[in-house]
Amino acid sequence: MRLPFAILIPALLAAGAAPAQQQPNAAPVDGPSRRFTGADLFGLSIAADPQISPDGRTIVYVRRTADVMTDRMQSSLWLIDVASGRQSPFATQGGSPRWSPDGTRIAYVAGDGSGSQLFVRWLATGASTRVTSFPGDPQALAWSPDGTRLAYIATVAGEPASLGKAPAKPEGASWAEPLQVIDRVNYRSDGPGYIKPGHDHLFVVAADGGAARQLTFGAFDDGGPLSWTPDGREIVFAAIRGPDADRQVMNSDVIAVDVTTATLRQLTTRDGPDDRARVSPDGSRIAWQGFDDKRRSYENAELYVGDRNAGAPRSLTASLDRGMEDAVWAADGRSLYASYDDRGARRIARIGLDGRVTPLVDNVQGGGLDRPYTGGDFSVSKAGAIAYTGGDAGAPADVWIWTGGKARRLTQLNAVMTGAKALAPVRKVAVVAPDGRPIDAWLATPPNRVAGKRLPLILEIHGGPNSAYGPSFATDVQLYVAAGYAVLWTNPRGSTSYGAEFANLIDKNYPSADYDDLIAAVDAAIADGTADPDNLFVTGGSGGGVLTAWIVGKTNRFKAAATQKPVINWVSEALTMDNTLFTSRYWFTKLPWEDPMSYWNRSPLSLVGNVRTPTLVVVGSDDYRTPVSESEQYYAALQIRGVPTALVKVPGASHGGFTARPSQSAGKAAAILAWFDRYRTPAPAPAPAGQ
């Protein structure tokens, strides 16, 4: 289950992958010019959403590259010939590419100047056409089985709520904006901001263009992915519908809509999310993901299979004890390919209808650039070839292919940049928590480290808290290391990819013993001779920001801290965050006014009287997940107490888009380093040999 703060033992590397510790592209260290810098963020590219053709011969993927002139990540589409690895440009902008069933066309989404529209290109001629002209930014594209139609989700604008009526404005007069009336439970969303009137609905359009037809209606938001039945008569999707829909947090159901009559059939009914439904190739079964909602902070999303009406459902992955990320049917309908996180690494496996799990790929990587979160995308050809985003700590995600039991890297998007830079080696650190539990952790150090010399250490804490880090490429890590720090990151209790029991060790008790796991990781880095115990620093974002503020309220061991987009007061967060009903329903047993002390006792603000650590506070100015007021409360409290502090706001940045613009990502890291450098003291010289 994805939690509102979001959003690795070492991955076993697939054939042909170089271990991160070896850094195959790194040349000898010559000086400052070889260090990774903030400007290098503009030279990075990352692969995403690789879609393999039905015959397995060609892959189309999204390449995201920083544009130094616009200070944004720009998306373009590229084709890869699988046999030769040769690449060719497909579209200078766009995303969400999807192959037609016969492999002759690719549908994709691209901007048209005022928004995004749906386009189709014919591979044989290179000709393309715009298929839609309806405002609403199409998403969740899905071809009909016969290739004649495309289904998608788009936003249908609605009328704003109103109360009363203002006087008529004289012609030519300049008046204030009209009143804004809010009557929705969830009235703003991190990223988009205040929600505009309207809802997301399902549409179908002819693949060669024409008028689109709306299939779903009402004051509900329908979501993808969309899956057609083989006969083309129905489309399966997921939504929260019904008279109480706006008061449900994640109680979605699998629904089928008749393409001809627009009649809806609800296929699942349990209390809990059911979504990501996929119809089997022969139409006899439906697979989907979900769980029974027990009002805990985390549940594994299990992979279910039922009959064509989702009847007689059974979980295929209950014994796996891992949360499913995505799943698609094999062409023969006898198994599914699924991705999931396992001990800090994203993996792909074949899962039989008997529940048997056959691991296939173990170096999936992708998602963001700034921090080492798990992630990655994949698709499967009819013959079972898997195109996926993969890699290691040496570079952002590339396109890989798995076939015949072997994995092969098809792109090296950052080879020129990484070959010119001395990047940090990454290794695993053995950590044992005070209660004896093993905790996974990784340590990055400067490539030119003098043997035996202790280094100032930055503890970097992931958000979530139900998420996971791993040995993946991260620009924050590289920037910190280039400034002379060792960087430690870990998956304390509450992290995902270790099973539901481990994730729920902090259920209704966060922060708590996850603090002890983090301190144990720091002690392990000191014990192995890397960390200077007199030069310890701590930072983290979102859930990691919570734990950063909690740590400095519990100990004075750290020379300085930087809490990023934290929750400081659980009462105010629960009543001002974008997902209004979430915090009080899943992270506490009672409402804030029913048991305020439970909220207070788990709030870092309750410990601010203990804080003596100089603490920087960093937040996006448009953060609606852990609102700006949380950071401002903490900054004010530290100022009142006379603790050295500063407040850094990232203009225009949401919670999820905190580092979306390269200059701001680099600037944020630079601000944290400047703060730490202010309190850093010279490290002791290494002990002479033999002493």
Side-chain angles (χ1 to χ4, degrees):
M1 181 180 73
R2 294 295 184 193
L3 298 183
F5 289 134
I7 26 226
L8 290 153
I9 48 195
L12 298 174
L13 298 172
Q21 292 89 333
Q22 293 181 7
Q23 295 299 330
N25 293 322
V29 178
D30 279 332
S33 65
R34 296 192 50 73
R35 294 176 188 160
F36 190 82
T37 70
D40 290 323
L41 271 65
F42 288 100
L44 294 174
S45 295
I46 184 170
D49 199 11
Q51 295 293 314
I52 193 165
S53 60
D55 62 11
R57 295 179 179 179
T58 310
I59 295 170
V60 59
Y61 76 97
V62 178
R63 182 188 295 186
R64 296 175 55 235
T65 303
D67 180 355
V68 72
M69 299 307 294
T70 62
D71 190 22
R72 295 186 182 278
M73 298 297 290
Q74 303 289 353
S75 295
S76 58
L77 298 178
W78 289 73
L79 295 174
I80 305 174
D81 177 77
V82 171
S84 66
R86 184 177 62 253
Q87 293 195 65
S88 58
F90 177 79
T92 57
Q93 61 158 321
S96 303
R98 294 297 181 267
W99 290 91
S100 64
D102 62 3
T104 63
R105 292 158 292 166
I106 295 176
Y108 61 100
V109 174
D112 69 342
S114 59
S116 296
Q117 299 296 337
L118 180 56
F119 292 77
V120 171
R121 179 171 298 181
W122 281 254
L123 274 295
T125 64
S128 62
T129 186
R130 190 175 78 171
V131 173
T132 62
S133 57
F134 181 86
D137 296 330
Q139 55 186 305
L141 313 184
W143 287 87
S144 65
D146 62 4
T148 63
R149 293 163 291 173
L150 282 158
Y152 62 94
I153 298 289
T155 301
V156 180
E159 291 295 324
S162 63
L163 283 172
K165 187 176 181 180
K169 182 175 71 172
E171 184 176 352
S174 179
W175 282 21
E177 291 291 322
L179 304 182
Q180 182 181 16
V181 178
I182 296 172
D183 60 0
R184 297 177 63 155
V185 176
N186 294 311
Y187 59 92
R188 59 185 184 179
S189 179
D190 186 68
Y194 281 79
I195 298 173
K196 296 179 181 179
H199 291 87
D200 292 345
H201 289 303
L202 197 158
F203 291 78
V204 169
V205 66
D208 54 2
R213 178 167 173 250
Q214 185 175 343
L215 293 183
T216 61
F217 303 84
F220 317 106
D221 289 312
D222 303 314
L226 307 178
S227 182
W228 293 74
T229 56
D231 58 13
R233 294 180 178 178
E234 287 188 315
I235 300 171
V236 175
F237 64 100
I240 300 176
R241 283 178 162 260
D244 200 30
D246 62 340
R247 307 200 66 80
Q248 299 294 323
V249 178
M250 59 180 82
N251 191 22
S252 58
D253 287 300
V254 177
I255 299 169
V257 59
D258 187 290
V259 177
T260 302
T261 66
T263 302
L264 300 179
R265 295 190 302 122
Q266 184 172 319
L267 305 184
T268 60
T269 58
R270 69 164 158 198
D271 183 6
D274 291 304
D275 54 26
R276 303 193 71 82
R278 312 273 190 176
V279 182
S280 65
D282 65 359
S284 65
R285 298 181 179 92
I286 294 177
W288 71 95
Q289 296 172 40
F291 55 82
D292 295 319
D293 191 348
K294 302 174 184 176
R295 302 299 192 268
R296 299 193 300 179
S297 64
Y298 177 81
E299 302 291 345
N300 283 330
E302 298 180 25
L303 178 60
Y304 287 83
V305 170
D307 61 27
R308 64 183 303 153
N309 297 313
R314 55 192 178 89
S315 173
L316 302 184
T317 60
S319 61
L320 181 61
D321 192 24
R322 295 293 186 268
M324 295 294 103
E325 295 292 335
D326 197 7
V328 296
W329 284 96
D332 61 8
R334 297 162 67 179
S335 63
L336 295 105
Y337 295 88
S339 62
Y340 57 93
D341 288 349
D342 178 39
R343 303 187 66 80
R346 174 101 8 130
R347 306 180 187 278
I348 301 172
R350 183 185 297 111
I351 300 178
L353 296 182
D354 59 357
R356 180 180 178 184
V357 178
T358 304
L360 302 176
V361 176
D362 52 23
N363 71 323
V364 184
Q365 181 181 311
L369 285 170
D370 62 321
R371 290 183 289 165
Y373 281 107
T374 57
D377 309 315
F378 78 98
S379 63
V380 184
S381 73
K382 287 184 177 180
I386 303 173
Y388 67 97
T389 54
D392 53 40
D398 277 299
V399 178
W400 289 63
I401 188 166
W402 180 94
T403 184
K406 296 181 179 180
R408 177 164 56 100
R409 189 180 203 155
L410 294 178
T411 67
Q412 296 194 54
L413 300 181
N414 299 280
V416 173
M417 189 280 291
T418 57
K421 294 293 175 178
L423 299 179
V426 175
R427 61 184 174 88
K428 186 183 177 186
V429 178
V431 178
V432 179
D435 64 358
R437 291 179 183 270
I439 302 296
D440 281 348
W442 297 267
L443 189 63
T445 53
N448 59 348
R449 178 192 176 193
V450 176
K453 182 178 180 180
R454 289 187 178 271
L455 300 167
L457 178 78
I458 296 176
L459 171 63
E460 160 61 53
I461 309 171
H462 72 62
N466 300 129
S467 63
Y469 272 168
S472 302
F473 180 84
T475 56
D476 277 5
V477 171
Q478 296 297 335
L479 290 169
Y480 296 158
V481 168
Y485 292 83
V487 183
L488 173 71
W489 62 99
T490 183
N491 285 334
R493 68 194 63 208
S495 301
T496 54
S497 77
Y498 300 89
E501 186 266 344
F502 187 83
N504 278 307
L505 288 173
I506 61 170
D507 179 45
K508 311 299 185 298
N509 192 27
Y510 164 71
S512 58
D514 40 359
Y515 164 86
D516 301 309
D517 298 344
L518 294 166
I519 297 301
V522 171
D523 289 338
I526 294 172
D528 84 349
T530 299
D532 176 3
D534 296 321
N535 266 318
L536 302 177
F537 303 86
V538 59
T539 188
S542 193
V546 174
L547 283 163
T548 297
W550 190 260
I551 283 172
V552 297
K554 301 279 283 185
T555 181
N556 297 313
R557 291 181 64 182
F558 294 86
K559 298 294 290 291
T563 178
Q564 304 176 53
K565 49 184 181 180
V567 173
I568 293 302
N569 182 339
W570 285 110
V571 171
S572 56
E573 185 272 350
L575 300 177
T576 58
M577 73 171 296
D578 57 345
N579 196 345
T580 307
L581 301 173
F582 183 89
T583 297
S584 57
R585 181 173 296 187
Y586 292 98
W587 285 9
F588 292 87
T589 57
K590 295 183 179 180
L591 298 171
W593 48 89
E594 294 173 341
D595 188 11
M597 290 309 298
S598 290
Y599 288 74
W600 177 250
N601 290 336
R602 287 163 51 192
S603 297
L605 190 59
S606 71
L607 302 177
V608 75
N610 302 331
V611 177
R612 295 202 299 271
T613 305
T615 301
L616 184 70
V617 185
V618 189
V619 68
S621 65
D622 291 347
D623 191 328
Y624 294 131
R625 185 60 46 83
T626 57
V628 179
S629 57
E630 294 297 305
S631 292
E632 290 175 336
Q633 286 182 68
Y634 200 53
Y635 171 71
L638 293 172
Q639 285 284 16
I640 290 169
R641 288 209 60 247
V643 177
T645 186
L647 176 64
V648 174
K649 287 188 176 181
V650 184
S654 65
H655 191 87
F658 191 50
T659 56
R661 304 193 72 169
S663 73
Q664 292 182 333
S665 182
K668 182 216 68 168
I672 291 171
L673 284 170
W675 185 258
F676 290 171
D677 286 346
R678 182 180 297 183
Y679 300 98
R680 173 177 168 181
T681 57
Q691 295 186 16

